[in-house]
Amino acid sequence: MVYGENVIAFVQQQPAAAQPATISDQQQATTRKSATASSVDQQQQPPVLSTSSTHSSSNRQPPIPVDQQGSGSRSTTHSSSRRPAATTISFEMAEQNQSNVGVANQSRISMADSTDNTPTTSNDASIGTKETKKRKEMDPRSTVWQYFEFFFENGLLVKAKCLHCKQNYAANTTRNGTSGLRQHLTNRCKVYKPPPVAPGIQKLLNFQSNSSSIETWKFEQEVCRKALVEMIILDELPFSFVEKEGFKKFMSKVQPLFRIPSRRTITRDSYEVYGELRMNLKMSFREIQPRICLTTDTWTSMQRINYMCLTAHFIDRDWVLHKRILNFCPITSHKGEHLAECISNCLLDWNLDNVFTVTVDNASSNDVAVLELSKKLDMWGTNMMEGKHLHVRCMAHILNLIVQDGLKEIGPSIKQVRQMVKYVRSSSTRTRNFLKCVEMQKIECDKMLSLDVPTRWNSTYLMLDTAEKFEKAFERFDLYDGNFNSFLATDVCEDGSIAGSIQYEDWANVRNITKFLEKFYELTLKVSGSRYVTCNVYFEDICELDAYLKVCMTSDDVDLSKMASGMKEKFKKYWDTPEKMNKMLFIAFVLDPRNKFMYVSFALEELLGEEKGQIVNNEVNAYLKNLFAIYVSKYAKGSKNQSSSSDSSDSSTYGLSQNVKTNSLRTKFYMKKQREDSGSLGVKSELDRYLLEDQEPESEDFDSLIWWKVNSPRFPILSQLARDVLVIPLSSVASECAFSTGGRILDPFRSSLTPKCVQCLICVQDWLRQETKLLCVEESLEFLEKIELEMANSGRNSSIVDL
């Protein structure tokens, strides 16, 4: 019915009531009387509806059709509210409908009028007044209309077109409303960008746990979304994590305002973060122009795709050591020529050509790759000293080869310990019995037994180191488990032999081997770091290791002596031949203010013999002077200062020579004082002055980078050389760490992605990561085992059944 539709439209057109108005009986009676009166004047006008403005008048409103405009018609001026095309009530219909239905409808109109936002009086209860008043234009209730263009049919709004993406939507005010239009703007429109939040919005106080300061905080969708992307990349989570039910439930409690993006959106955002960080890193390289040192290694994913990881190491102007993964790209071959081509293409892509060294493992293909890369650097004109120091062998890999050769002659004591640990860890019941035995023996040790992996010798050391502390518990364990000794007597080891029960002499051998492997374990951890300088201790560690092997070879322990002899043979292959040793690593040791040349001469004689050591010492000294001369000629300002110093010294010497005849006594006195001050004739270079100064005292907290930062004004040229030399990494482990924080190869999630996406995730994770310590899997397992044992002792895991 038309009259009913007009009534509904009129009611819906009224603004929301701020305070409910009471309808008195007198008002209702007056309304019924005015609705049923037959002598109502035909010139009565509709009531005036006044509303308070809630939006600015600049908001876009739906246009009014021409046929509804003009003073003669009884149409009202429509606003851009939810019902912009509502029609006015024709009061002639009130005269034609005198039935009860008409009275009821008129009562509804009166009630709607009485609940208007505007405060009403008793005079406002009547439907019409004799005074003619124009209805005020209502301000829009929704800001959505200002983003759409309107289309009318027969005077009614039927369609709206987005002003940004030109998408059409149904906009009938009776059936559609503004919900669909609003959802289009917030979720589907790819052109529209929401306006920034007004700065006047109240912020929250944020108490930082790591500082005493108080900061303001406000919710921002884009900031939270970027933080979500970084969390997924840093923690190696799959993209589908955002669609998990648990995460959605968690975010609904933490921040209901946050609109969780889809996994496709997270994937696109990851590429955007990669592009932004990559551009920033390129700009940093362009500004500081460092001479970088590279580490590279090749790996294979679960899909049998070969990857090459290329990492750059450099020291910035503030003398801070940095490590950045440049590329993590697939390769089709492990041949040296192909590897060199991939490295050179990566350097060209990053606009980097100042390569100082390349640290690789001892594969023969890497020797070819470094040689081909040296030729490329020659073509670019950046290969310093003809590439003689470009190739650096991975020290961690050499140590691994040495220890693996020594463990080939493994004694029966290590097999016995492995079998005992295997038996105890095979079930939680045996573990609980073993802990009871430990408690009875009053052994205080926070570590738990761990079984080694034969291919990783450091796990063998950790197993022996922990088992040796539970010696008394193993001796008494047969009292708590009757099958312990029978297992050792019958179980077959990996090599087909039977270990048998362990004796007192075997425990002595275990302690000797543990102490022996501890030296290699600590040295491997020391040289594998990528966040601190390692090359300044390389030479000293080699000399200490050589002396240690010589002592162990003369030990009374047969197994230990045999193991040390095998390691010594492998040691000679890499570090007993001066031709195979990179002289730049000796120079790095000299540039440590605690060492200089005094210790180098002595250590070389101990390592190589007096005659051969003296030859190598002279070669290193000459190499350092030639390298320093290149730096003097390269840095224009420094070379000018150096030449001006030389010129001034020459002119002073020339002036002295001219005055020798006139005042020889004063000249002799000047020359004597100069010898006392400097120790030799003439003006010395920065290198000479550095080597003649006293060595810095030994201290655990000494930092060579800080020393050079403080003393760089005294040695402007030599400090540039030290900046490039001290950054040399001794191990390619930095590249291997890119595969996971726990030292694993590509996990199943990353192996299932495309190579381009894998490179994006690996690089961004490395660029965002701040922690300097890698996760320790052994510590995590130890913590979990403690929790399980505590639950077992308290009886809270009764549902867990041991098999």
Side-chain angles (χ1 to χ4, degrees):
M1 188 170 63
V2 177
Y3 179 75
E5 293 178 355
N6 292 336
V7 169
I8 295 174
F10 184 83
V11 173
Q12 293 179 347
Q13 192 176 12
Q14 305 307 312
Q19 295 180 352
T22 60
I23 305 175
S24 64
D25 297 338
Q26 183 179 358
Q27 290 174 341
Q28 295 183 8
T30 305
T31 303
R32 295 191 187 97
K33 184 183 296 185
S34 60
T36 56
S38 59
S39 62
V40 176
D41 189 7
Q42 298 297 325
Q43 301 299 324
Q44 289 178 339
Q45 300 297 325
V48 178
L49 302 179
S50 61
T51 59
S52 60
S53 178
T54 58
H55 299 283
S56 61
S57 60
S58 61
N59 291 340
R60 180 180 176 85
Q61 304 179 15
I64 301 175
V66 177
D67 56 355
Q68 294 184 11
Q69 300 178 359
S71 61
S73 63
R74 298 187 179 273
S75 62
T76 59
T77 303
H78 302 290
S79 64
S80 58
S81 64
R82 182 178 293 273
R83 306 296 180 190
T87 59
T88 58
I89 299 176
S90 175
F91 291 95
E92 287 76 8
M93 294 182 179
E95 298 178 357
Q96 299 175 5
N97 294 276
Q98 302 294 332
S99 61
N100 294 333
V101 176
V103 173
N105 290 337
Q106 194 67 30
S107 176
R108 291 170 56 188
I109 298 172
S110 176
M111 295 174 63
D113 288 342
S114 64
T115 59
D116 187 34
N117 284 340
T118 308
T120 60
T121 63
S122 60
N123 296 331
D124 296 330
S126 60
I127 296 299
T129 60
K130 294 183 179 181
E131 297 180 0
T132 302
K133 295 182 179 180
K134 291 186 179 181
R135 186 174 179 177
K136 291 184 179 181
E137 180 179 350
M138 297 178 59
D139 292 328
R141 299 179 184 175
S142 176
T143 59
V144 175
W145 294 110
Q146 60 182 318
Y147 302 105
F148 290 88
E149 181 182 357
F150 309 103
F151 297 92
F152 293 87
E153 290 183 4
N154 300 326
L156 298 177
L157 179 64
V158 294
K159 187 171 62 174
K161 179 190 291 186
C162 179
L163 296 177
H164 301 281
C165 64
K166 308 304 179 182
Q167 180 69 30
N168 294 327
Y169 281 90
N172 186 280
T173 57
T174 304
R175 294 188 299 269
N176 306 114
T178 60
S179 298
L181 305 180
R182 185 179 296 105
Q183 292 179 3
H184 168 74
L185 288 176
T186 56
N187 298 329
R188 292 186 289 271
C189 186
K190 299 181 179 179
V191 182
Y192 169 75
K193 293 184 179 180
V197 180
I201 295 179
Q202 184 177 2
K203 300 179 181 179
L204 300 178
L205 291 180
N206 181 24
F207 294 89
Q208 297 291 338
S209 59
N210 57 353
S211 64
S212 59
S213 61
I214 301 177
E215 299 178 357
T216 57
W217 176 87
K218 66 177 180 179
F219 171 75
E220 296 183 12
Q221 173 70 20
E222 295 301 323
V223 175
C224 296
R225 178 170 153 184
K226 184 177 181 180
L228 176 61
V229 174
E230 294 180 356
M231 181 195 73
I232 290 177
I233 296 176
L234 282 172
D235 297 339
E236 303 180 12
L237 300 173
F239 295 137
S240 60
F241 174 78
V242 295
E243 299 179 354
K244 301 293 183 181
E245 190 66 24
F247 178 72
K248 292 182 178 179
K249 185 176 180 180
F250 172 76
M251 290 305 303
S252 66
K253 302 296 182 183
V254 175
Q255 181 52 268
L257 297 178
F258 180 66
R259 298 190 303 272
I260 301 177
S262 65
R263 59 179 175 179
R264 298 181 182 275
T265 303
I266 292 295
T267 305
R268 289 193 294 267
D269 290 347
S270 300
Y271 283 110
E272 292 180 1
V273 172
Y274 169 73
E276 179 182 354
L277 294 179
R278 190 174 187 271
M279 185 62 62
N280 294 339
L281 186 57
K282 268 191 172 182
M283 292 177 62
S284 300
F285 284 146
R286 190 181 304 113
E287 291 177 0
I288 63 178
Q289 296 182 353
R291 187 172 291 274
I292 62 173
C293 295
L294 300 176
T295 56
T296 180
D297 206 347
T298 55
W299 290 80
T300 304
S301 68
M302 298 179 64
Q303 296 177 332
R304 301 298 177 185
I305 299 178
N306 298 322
Y307 286 90
M308 183 190 70
C309 182
L310 188 65
T311 308
H313 305 256
F314 61 95
I315 297 176
D316 62 14
R317 294 175 181 175
D318 293 329
W319 290 87
V320 178
L321 180 62
H322 296 276
K323 174 188 76 71
R324 296 291 185 271
I325 293 181
L326 300 181
N327 269 37
F328 193 86
C329 55
I331 56 175
T332 58
S333 174
H334 285 274
K335 294 183 178 180
E337 295 83 358
H338 184 73
L339 295 178
E341 188 69 22
C342 292
I343 295 175
S344 60
N345 291 337
C346 173
L347 294 176
L348 291 175
D349 184 36
W350 282 88
N351 297 325
L352 297 174
D353 55 2
N354 292 329
V355 179
F356 198 67
T357 61
V358 181
T359 304
V360 292
D361 59 22
N362 296 279
S364 58
S365 59
N366 289 330
D367 298 342
V368 179
V370 175
L371 182 60
E372 293 296 325
L373 182 61
S374 179
K375 296 178 181 179
K376 288 281 185 179
L377 296 177
D378 285 334
M379 295 174 57
W380 299 343
T382 59
N383 198 13
M384 190 171 292
M385 299 292 289
E386 299 178 355
K388 295 179 181 179
H389 60 265
L390 185 64
H391 189 187
V392 178
R393 299 184 183 274
C394 177
M395 185 175 181
H397 188 253
I398 296 176
L399 289 174
N400 184 45
L401 296 177
I402 292 176
V403 178
Q404 289 290 356
D405 276 8
L407 290 178
K408 289 180 180 179
E409 302 295 334
I410 189 172
S413 57
I414 298 180
K415 299 178 183 178
Q416 291 167 350
V417 172
R418 183 180 292 133
Q419 292 299 102
M420 291 189 301
V421 174
K422 177 182 177 182
Y423 180 82
V424 173
R425 289 181 55 88
S426 59
S427 72
S428 58
T429 303
R430 295 172 181 174
T431 304
R432 287 196 295 269
N433 292 335
F434 183 77
L435 290 180
K436 292 179 182 179
C437 183
V438 171
E439 185 178 357
M440 291 300 297
Q441 298 300 321
K442 298 181 179 180
I443 300 175
E444 297 181 359
C445 182
D446 296 333
K447 295 182 178 181
M448 297 293 294
L449 296 175
S450 60
L451 191 63
D452 69 329
V453 180
T455 56
R456 296 177 57 189
W457 69 267
N458 59 329
S459 64
T460 303
Y461 161 74
L462 294 175
M463 179 190 69
L464 297 177
D465 181 58
T466 305
E468 183 264 333
K469 294 178 175 59
F470 296 101
E471 176 183 351
K472 295 181 179 179
F474 278 116
E475 293 177 353
R476 299 284 183 175
F477 187 55
D478 59 330
L479 300 177
Y480 295 85
D481 193 323
N483 298 326
F484 179 61
N485 288 333
S486 61
F487 173 82
L488 297 178
T490 57
D491 191 68
V492 180
C493 302
E494 289 82 357
D495 57 355
S497 61
I498 297 177
S501 301
I502 192 168
Q503 304 299 325
Y504 177 79
E505 294 80 8
D506 296 324
W507 282 114
N509 182 254
V510 168
R511 284 189 289 270
N512 293 333
I513 295 177
T514 303
K515 186 178 179 180
F516 176 73
L517 294 177
E518 182 181 7
K519 183 74 173 179
F520 291 88
Y521 178 76
E522 294 178 351
L523 185 56
T524 302
L525 294 179
K526 185 178 180 180
V527 301
S528 299
S530 58
R531 307 278 182 175
Y532 53 88
V533 178
T534 57
C535 60
N536 59 337
V537 297
Y538 172 84
F539 177 64
E540 183 178 8
D541 290 335
I542 291 177
C543 296
E544 294 289 342
L545 187 60
D546 178 69
Y548 186 69
L549 288 175
K550 292 178 181 179
V551 173
C552 293
M553 289 173 60
T554 60
S555 174
D556 296 334
D557 192 325
V558 179
D559 294 337
L560 180 61
S561 178
K562 187 183 298 183
M563 186 181 299
S565 300
M567 292 182 177
K568 179 63 176 177
E569 293 299 323
K570 200 74 173 182
F571 181 91
K572 292 180 179 179
K573 180 179 179 181
Y574 294 102
W575 291 324
D576 203 22
T577 305
E579 292 78 12
K580 294 184 179 180
M581 302 176 72
N582 194 324
K583 293 181 177 58
M584 192 59 65
L585 299 176
F586 297 113
I587 295 176
F589 185 77
V590 172
L591 292 178
D592 190 324
R594 297 168 295 177
N595 304 321
K596 302 187 179 180
F597 254 118
M598 299 296 295
Y599 184 80
V600 174
S601 303
F602 170 78
L604 282 173
E605 294 179 1
E606 292 292 325
L607 179 65
L608 306 174
E610 183 176 356
E611 182 179 356
K612 187 182 294 185
Q614 187 63 34
I615 296 175
V616 175
N617 183 55
N618 296 334
E619 292 177 353
V620 173
N621 196 354
Y623 198 90
L624 176 59
K625 291 182 178 180
N626 294 335
L627 186 64
F628 178 73
I630 294 177
Y631 273 77
V632 170
S633 61
K634 177 182 178 182
Y635 294 94
K637 183 177 179 180
S639 62
K640 289 180 180 179
N641 293 337
Q642 186 76 14
S643 60
S644 62
S645 300
S646 302
D647 295 341
S648 61
S649 62
D650 292 341
S651 61
S652 300
T653 307
Y654 177 77
L656 288 174
S657 62
Q658 292 294 326
N659 294 330
V660 165
K661 297 180 181 179
T662 59
N663 198 347
S664 59
L665 183 61
R666 184 177 295 274
T667 303
K668 291 180 180 180
F669 171 76
Y670 179 81
M671 298 298 293
K672 180 180 180 181
K673 186 177 182 300
Q674 188 178 17
R675 284 195 301 267
E676 293 176 354
D677 293 340
S678 60
S680 62
L681 296 175
V683 177
K684 297 173 180 59
S685 64
E686 292 181 17
L687 179 60
D688 296 331
R689 286 190 284 109
Y690 167 76
L691 295 176
L692 289 174
E693 288 183 357
D694 294 336
Q695 296 169 310
E696 294 293 330
E698 285 285 346
S699 61
E700 295 182 357
D701 58 346
F702 182 84
D703 192 337
S704 57
L705 294 183
I706 295 179
W707 189 93
W708 278 106
K709 179 180 180 180
V710 174
N711 291 273
S712 57
R714 297 174 53 225
F715 308 104
I717 301 178
L718 189 61
S719 61
Q720 296 292 337
L721 175 60
R723 188 199 306 272
D724 297 339
V725 172
L726 294 178
V727 74
I728 298 176
L730 293 182
S731 173
S732 60
V733 175
S735 298
E736 299 169 10
C737 291
F739 293 89
S740 71
T741 56
R744 296 170 281 115
I745 305 178
L746 282 176
D747 55 13
F749 162 63
R750 287 181 171 176
S751 296
S752 63
L753 302 175
T754 61
K756 185 176 180 180
C757 188
V758 170
Q759 174 172 288
C760 168
L761 296 179
I762 292 292
C763 293
V764 173
Q765 184 191 46
D766 177 76
W767 298 341
L768 293 177
R769 184 178 293 164
Q770 299 295 330
E771 64 269 15
T772 58
K773 284 183 63 178
L774 299 179
L775 295 181
C776 181
V777 180
E778 289 79 5
E779 292 179 358
S780 301
L781 293 176
E782 178 183 338
F783 176 72
L784 293 176
E785 289 175 351
K786 284 185 178 180
I787 294 179
E788 293 175 359
L789 290 174
E790 291 176 359
M791 294 175 61
N793 295 332
S794 60
R796 286 181 291 172
N797 64 336
S798 58
S799 60
I800 302 176
V801 180
D802 294 333
L803 300 178

